[in-house]
Amino acid sequence: MKILATYSSKPGSRFICWVTGEEVSHVALELSSGFVIHSTGKGVSITWAPHFRRDHKVVYEATYMGLMGEPRELVRNLMEAEGRPYDYLLLLSMGLQKLGIPVPNWNRPNALICTELIAKYIFASNDKLTPGQVIDRVAANPTWEIRRV
C-alpha cells in the first residue's frame, strides 16, 4: 500500500497549491492490487494505477512497511467510500482563510477531499490536513518509508 502525493497542470491543482503553499495538490492511496482510490472533484473514485500515474505527476511515494497487502476491513471500507461526494465547501473555506477571511472549516459530513480520505481511513482521524501535512505525518511514522520520486 502506498500514499501518493501528486500535482497536475489542471487549474484545480494549481489552485490547491496556491491555497496550501505546497508543491503537491493531491494525495491518493495505491493498493497492492494495482488500484488507486482517491477523491477528486467528481467524488471518491477508484481507478487503475497506470491510468492514475499517467494523469498525475507523483512527487512523493510513501510505502507502508507493515503487513504485506492491506487489511481486508480497510479495503472493504475504502470500496464503500466510492461515490461519496467531494467537499467543495471545505476547499472553499480553506481558500477564504488563505485570503485572510476568518471563516471556520466548512465541512459536509458525508463529503471528502483527498486528504480527508487518507486521514479517515489510514490515520483514523478527522483532521483537516493539506497534502503536505499528510506527507509530513507519514514521514514521522516509522512504519512508512517515503521517497521523493
Side-chain angles (χ1 to χ4, degrees):
M1 171 170 57
K2 296 178 181 178
I3 294 175
L4 308 175
T6 73
Y7 73 90
S8 74
S9 60
K10 295 178 182 176
S13 177
R14 290 193 306 269
F15 173 74
I16 292 168
C17 287
W18 174 79
V19 167
T20 63
E22 298 170 352
E23 66 179 321
V24 293
S25 60
H26 188 65
V27 289
L29 188 64
E30 184 175 348
L31 304 176
S32 59
S33 61
F35 289 100
V36 171
I37 185 162
H38 61 131
S39 186
T40 69
K42 297 178 183 177
V44 177
S45 65
I46 301 170
T47 189
W48 191 238
H51 296 172
F52 178 86
R53 287 175 176 268
R54 178 190 65 213
D55 298 334
H56 296 80
K57 170 65 176 140
V58 177
V59 178
Y60 295 100
E61 188 176 271
T63 304
Y64 183 67
M65 304 306 286
L67 301 170
M68 291 296 281
E70 297 83 27
R72 188 171 293 180
E73 182 178 351
L74 171 63
V75 173
R76 182 176 45 78
N77 290 337
L78 287 166
M79 297 301 142
E80 289 174 358
E82 184 182 23
R84 287 178 68 175
Y86 190 78
D87 198 347
Y88 285 103
L89 283 176
L90 179 60
L91 187 61
L92 174 62
S93 68
M94 292 170 78
L96 291 172
Q97 291 166 3
K98 171 76 173 184
L99 293 171
I101 300 170
V103 297
N105 281 338
W106 296 320
N107 187 246
R108 292 174 37 211
N110 193 43
L112 296 169
I113 63 173
C114 62
T115 55
E116 285 179 297
L117 181 75
I118 300 297
K120 179 178 179 68
Y121 293 103
I122 301 302
F123 303 147
S125 82
N126 291 317
D127 294 343
K128 306 303 177 231
L129 304 171
T130 66
Q133 289 169 331
V134 168
I135 293 305
D136 290 345
R137 186 170 291 185
V138 167
N141 186 324
T143 60
W144 290 88
E145 182 178 282
I146 190 165
R147 71 181 182 93
R148 187 174 180 89
V149 178

